[in-house]
Amino acid sequence: MKRRRTALLSLTALLAGALTALPAAQAGAEEVEQVKNGTFDSGTAPWWTSANVTAGVTEGRLCADVPGGTTNRWDAAVGQNDIPLVKGESYRFSFYADGTPADHVVRAVVGLSVDPYDAYYEVSPQLSVSGNRYSYTFTSPVDTAQGQVAFQVGGSADPWRFCLDDVSLLGGVTPEPYEPDTGPRVRVNQVGYLPSGPKNATVVTDATSPLPWKLKNADGAVAARGWTVPRGTDASSGQNVHSIDFGGFRTRGKGFTLVADGESSRPFDIGSDAYERLSVDAAKFYYTQRSGLAIRDDLRPGYARPAGHVGVAPNQGDTEVPCQPGVCDYRLDVSGGWYDAGDHGKYVVNGGISVWELLSTYERALHARTGQPEKFRDGSLAIPESGNKVPDLLDEVRWELDFLLKMQVPDGQPLAGMAHHKIHDENWTGLPLLPSDDPQKRELHPPTTAATLNLAAAAAQAARLYKPYDPGFAATALAAARKAWAAAQAHPDVYASESDGIGGGAYPDRNIDDEFYWAAAELYLTTGEKRFADHVLNSPVHTADIFGPTGFDWARTAAAARLDLATVPSRLPGRDKVRQSVVKGADRYLATLKAHPYGMPYAPDGNLYDWGSSHQVLNNAVVLAGAYDITGGTKYRDGAVQSMDYILGRNALNISYVTGYGDVTAQNQHSRWYARQLDPQLPNPPAGSLSGGPNSSIQDPVAQSKLQGCVGQFCYIDDIQSWSTNEITINWNAALTWMASFVADQG
């Protein structure tokens, strides 16, 4: 999603009650200790505590009495300031810590001691359970003389005692090599293959000649056999690989394995049941992302939580949110909607493309040759609205649509009809943090043309799909879409600031011809009006080659228009050429898939994987599926179906990027409330949550400390702190929902 963050996780200023301070040490020498008096042999200096913590030296350790009744980790802390850090330098951060009673989670941070309190490295061990001695290596992303080591110990209902010793931040160390456990060298779709669909696998091997392979059933009997096809070196992983094609085997069953070159794959099924479940779970993801609503345990066992951002202390709520200073003089009720990702922000540009892809999932079921709209029947998702005689997917998307409509600038105000770009916290919050415990001030950010066009497109699409169930809402949505379109035409170049990335992602986009094209397309498909058709036909985007290697996303929305113009019935002049353009784009992705040793329709220039690469793979597969819906060509259906293999385990890391689907799956995605890695009392993300996947830019400190020099597929780590490779977002799961539904329909 390309959210260029200028700050990481905000730290609260905890310097009141400081014990002492000493001058900064000199940086840059080999094997230099940066922490002063980390053994506490000289008392407590220069360590400080927050005002509510009392600390002293006991038996050679610093022991702190931590009060109960605090909410957040940073509400109580011990630390040391004036620690120099050198950009690019590797450090070993180590310490001894224990607690009475045991099992408390402590957030240990190396960061900035002044505003904006960036965190450059952090871990959150559970004392005793994690062991009492800890050691980590990381690389500093900055030069500063104002570094800080801090131990955040708040968040406990009851008072407890925290003891610390042997604290060290040693500069000049050799980074510890990171070797991911990639398991068996035979890589398969760990979830399963359709009986009548393609079945392919990849073998990592030094062999250059074909190798024999065997397909074994759950009893170990050989069900099929053949020879691998050598593919040479895969540029996206640096591995020498062979391919296996066992598509001729069509018998359903569970617990199959592939054996080649002395290795057995992880088990997999042949059938469609798993895709039926995945199509539901991927859509269920949105219920637990809801803002402004208590999540019910009976509907999502293990995921119950209080309503977030409804104004219950310490939360300041979203029912009366002011603008950033100088932006406007009114307040808006922007409650509801989905939290965009692992933070507490809500963004119109990402909300718009997410709404489109989920509504497109439903709309495809209405028009496509294999569509099955009954799968979205009332009650199919078990959400609070189930039982109201409206398809559950439409009910879920309505929660976000209502929020998007609230983001429109009211009549009588400057820029009336436009949409505010986003709403989120004034500063970044730390992990873990339930939405209901977020104490930050919330702010509306300036309106933008891009956000306004997202609103116009999403609301126009909604108007035609909700009309059979709620004509009043459909009329309201269409009126909002028309108003937004007029406002965008009157203000065609109001852009989001690239520097507006404190407290939430910036989502900047200065090329919005595609958003104008998309909004006009949706308005035309809903109204049939000539003025919208004229805009579509006269747009340079209409005849442009829009199906590039990295596909479409929130900043590249032309494909949303082109796909709908090609598949939603209309009388658009030249519609056959529109349909041909989709097929031509699919041909390119199909060629990429066939040439790729891992069989996926994604090969970015230089194998530089983008932020959210997993959903870009899926969106390219959506184009393949669209070509199948247009032509009925089996090769397009098979290409789309095969694209799921990479997502579900047939990749260099041998991991499924979907939580709960496969033997080894992503489960520590970056999130403030699906944060079990940091707090054992919180859950991992729910089954059906898609990780962003490999990102060659590795912007976060965890990825930078472990993945330097990574190649393509290896630029990923399943760590909650790796927000650049392992976040979850509403638009990424929308791509998963669309594709899971498509594959299930082919079963």
Side-chain angles (χ1 to χ4, degrees):
M1 62 183 166
K2 290 188 177 177
R3 299 197 331 187
R4 303 301 184 222
R5 306 187 187 211
T6 57
L8 298 180
L9 307 174
S10 177
L11 300 176
T12 304
L14 291 168
L15 307 187
L19 299 175
T20 70
L22 291 181
Q26 294 300 309
E30 285 292 310
E31 299 283 340
V32 173
E33 177 59 67
Q34 308 295 346
V35 170
K36 295 293 185 181
N37 190 26
T39 59
F40 306 101
D41 294 337
S42 303
T44 59
W47 293 85
W48 53 261
T49 69
S50 54
N52 58 349
V53 171
T54 301
V57 176
T58 302
E59 297 180 349
R61 297 181 295 166
L62 184 146
C63 291
D65 292 317
V66 182
T70 57
T71 301
N72 305 299
R73 298 269 184 263
W74 55 82
D75 290 342
V78 175
Q80 183 177 139
N81 292 342
D82 300 325
I83 291 178
L85 297 170
V86 177
K87 184 176 182 179
E89 180 95 37
S90 293
Y91 295 86
R92 179 178 297 113
F93 179 33
S94 59
F95 54 91
Y96 170 94
D98 65 17
T100 307
D103 300 346
H104 285 274
V105 175
V106 172
R107 183 178 181 228
V109 183
V110 180
L112 188 63
S113 63
V114 296
D115 191 19
Y117 306 103
D118 293 347
Y120 304 131
Y121 185 78
E122 63 174 288
V123 291
S124 296
Q126 184 178 15
L127 303 183
S128 298
V129 173
S130 304
N132 290 332
R133 291 196 178 274
Y134 308 91
S135 181
Y136 312 91
T137 59
F138 72 99
T139 302
S140 173
V142 299
D143 285 311
T144 182
Q146 295 179 300
Q148 175 191 86
V149 168
F151 297 87
Q152 299 179 2
V153 292
S156 173
D158 301 315
W160 65 291
R161 189 168 177 83
F162 169 65
C163 292
L164 186 66
D165 201 4
D166 298 330
V167 185
S168 172
L169 186 66
L170 194 65
V173 301
T174 301
E176 295 179 6
Y178 171 66
E179 295 291 341
D181 181 4
T182 57
R185 290 183 288 103
V186 182
R187 310 290 162 77
V188 297
N189 179 328
Q190 297 174 29
V191 172
Y193 300 88
L194 298 182
S196 61
K199 301 174 190 70
N200 295 276
T202 299
V203 184
V204 180
T205 176
D206 293 331
T208 57
S209 299
L211 299 167
W213 59 262
K214 297 177 182 178
L215 174 68
K216 293 186 175 182
N217 62 24
D219 296 327
V222 176
R225 64 180 73 230
W227 292 85
T228 66
V229 177
R231 302 295 298 272
T233 300
D234 165 40
S236 71
S237 65
Q239 300 167 323
N240 188 75
V241 298
H242 291 201
S243 294
I244 294 175
D245 182 347
F246 59 108
F249 185 82
R250 298 191 168 198
T251 303
R252 292 175 180 266
K254 297 181 179 295
F256 289 98
T257 54
L258 270 175
V259 180
D261 200 24
E263 295 268 330
S264 295
S265 74
R266 289 178 173 142
F268 58 89
D269 298 342
I270 296 178
S272 58
D273 291 349
Y275 290 100
E276 298 288 355
R277 294 194 304 272
L278 179 56
S279 65
V280 173
D281 282 346
K284 281 184 174 183
F285 167 83
Y286 294 91
Y287 173 55
T288 51
Q289 288 290 117
R290 288 193 191 187
S291 176
L293 182 79
I295 305 303
R296 291 165 42 184
D297 193 66
D298 63 315
L299 298 181
R300 291 296 178 275
Y303 290 91
R305 60 171 174 81
H309 297 97
V310 291
V312 177
N315 194 259
Q316 299 190 39
D318 285 352
T319 58
E320 195 177 1
V321 179
C323 283
Q324 283 182 305
V327 171
C328 74
D329 59 3
Y330 54 82
R331 294 170 177 259
L332 292 182
D333 176 358
V334 290
S335 56
W338 300 318
Y339 296 116
D340 175 77
D343 58 66
H344 300 136
K346 300 184 291 189
Y347 308 81
V348 172
V349 290
N350 218 40
I353 193 68
S354 304
V355 162
W356 169 79
E357 197 149 17
L358 291 172
L359 291 182
S360 177
T361 305
Y362 177 77
E363 194 160 27
R364 180 193 172 273
L366 300 179
H367 303 304
R369 65 187 69 239
T370 58
Q372 300 179 51
E374 66 275 8
K375 289 183 178 180
F376 302 107
R377 66 189 181 280
D378 183 24
S380 58
L381 295 181
I383 56 177
E385 296 81 5
S386 294
N388 66 355
K389 299 182 180 181
V390 177
D392 273 5
L393 188 60
L394 294 187
D395 276 329
E396 186 56 65
V397 176
R398 174 75 179 267
W399 192 262
E400 177 74 358
L401 279 165
D402 286 341
F403 158 72
L404 294 178
L405 296 178
K406 293 177 181 179
M407 291 289 280
Q408 198 160 29
V409 176
D411 291 339
Q413 298 292 341
L415 302 179
M418 295 191 73
H420 286 275
H421 200 68
K422 56 181 183 168
I423 175 260
H424 57 64
D425 293 332
E426 184 178 25
N427 291 294
W428 287 106
T429 55
L431 287 77
L433 184 67
L434 288 174
S436 55
D437 293 335
D438 176 14
Q440 293 267 357
K441 175 187 175 184
R442 306 281 276 177
E443 293 180 331
L444 287 165
H445 290 246
T448 65
T449 309
T452 304
L453 292 167
N454 268 264
L455 172 59
Q461 182 187 24
R464 65 178 179 266
L465 293 176
Y466 286 82
K467 189 174 182 179
Y469 304 100
D470 190 339
F473 174 70
T476 297
L478 184 56
R482 291 183 185 277
K483 181 183 292 187
W485 174 258
Q489 287 192 307
H491 307 283
D493 54 3
V494 180
Y495 303 117
S497 170
E498 293 186 359
S499 61
D500 188 15
I502 303 297
Y507 285 102
D509 183 5
R510 298 186 69 84
N511 180 4
I512 54 177
D513 288 348
D514 51 338
E515 278 83 4
F516 271 107
Y517 177 61
W518 175 33
E522 299 299 345
L523 280 160
Y524 167 72
L525 290 171
T526 296
T527 68
E529 292 177 12
K530 183 176 182 299
R531 62 178 177 133
F532 297 123
D534 288 345
H535 188 99
V536 166
L537 296 172
N538 293 327
S539 170
V541 180
H542 189 56
T543 53
D545 181 2
I546 61 171
F547 298 111
T550 53
F552 62 90
D553 65 4
W554 65 267
R556 298 187 298 272
T557 61
R562 193 77 64 85
L563 287 166
D564 278 2
L565 291 170
T567 58
V568 177
S570 77
R571 296 182 178 180
L572 182 75
R575 184 167 179 261
D576 284 346
K577 289 186 177 180
V578 175
R579 291 162 70 86
Q580 291 168 15
S581 75
V582 174
V583 175
K584 184 178 178 180
D587 285 337
R588 186 180 304 157
Y589 292 142
L590 194 61
T592 298
L593 180 147
K594 289 180 177 179
H596 201 296
Y598 273 98
M600 58 176 164
Y602 181 75
D605 293 342
N607 289 293
L608 297 176
Y609 279 49
D610 203 357
W611 199 323
S613 62
S614 60
H615 97 294
Q616 292 177 336
V617 173
L618 291 172
N619 278 341
N620 288 354
V622 167
V623 178
L624 288 166
Y628 169 67
D629 289 339
I630 292 168
T631 68
T634 302
K635 64 181 180 180
Y636 300 117
R637 182 202 66 183
D638 286 355
V641 170
Q642 184 177 333
S643 300
M644 291 291 284
D645 293 352
Y646 165 82
I647 298 296
L648 297 173
R650 185 191 171 196
N651 52 57
L653 288 169
N654 205 2
I655 186 174
S656 167
Y657 290 112
V658 181
T659 305
Y661 281 82
D663 260 25
V664 176
T665 80
Q667 59 181 351
N668 296 311
Q669 291 97 318
H670 178 78
S671 170
R672 282 155 178 74
W673 57 99
Y674 309 131
R676 188 173 184 83
Q677 187 179 359
L678 299 180
D679 186 341
Q681 297 187 39
L682 293 175
N684 288 123
S689 300
L690 178 68
S691 167
N695 172 10
S696 297
S697 296
I698 57 172
Q699 289 95 333
D700 64 85
V702 170
Q704 290 170 355
S705 70
K706 296 183 180 294
L707 304 178
Q708 290 292 338
C710 61
V711 176
Q713 292 192 55
F714 281 102
C715 297
Y716 170 82
I717 183 169
D718 183 27
D719 190 292
I720 194 170
Q721 306 291 1
S722 185
W723 39 264
S724 69
T725 77
N726 200 37
E727 195 163 17
I728 48 177
T729 75
I730 56 174
N731 60 317
W732 299 346
N733 244 72
L736 178 64
T737 302
W738 201 106
M739 276 305 303
S741 175
F742 175 84
V743 176
D745 286 348
Q746 312 315 309

